[in-house]
Amino acid sequence: MLIQHGRPAEALAAIPTIAEGRAAAERRERERAQRQKQDDPWGGVGEFAQEPPL
């Protein structure tokens, strides 16, 4: 719509860069992993199981 109204620079500026898109996807993945129920009581969020505290 911006291009049709003669504002191509604004249209291009509104498109996220590849790096911004990847960062947003990684952030969404981290947030999703944090919301998941942890089955392993000794495991950290998104990590391998840890040794139980003694």
Side-chain angles (χ1 to χ4, degrees):
M1 182 177 280
L2 288 170
I3 291 174
Q4 292 175 348
H5 287 94
R7 297 162 54 185
E10 289 179 66
L12 289 174
I15 299 171
T17 65
I18 293 172
E20 290 170 338
R22 286 182 182 162
E26 290 172 0
R27 186 185 75 250
R28 286 189 301 269
E29 180 62 28
R30 277 193 311 273
E31 291 170 354
R32 185 188 64 78
Q34 289 174 350
R35 287 191 304 267
Q36 285 183 335
K37 184 175 185 274
Q38 180 59 261
D39 292 336
D40 182 2
W42 304 115
V45 174
E47 298 177 5
F48 292 106
Q50 301 170 0
E51 290 293 320
L54 299 175

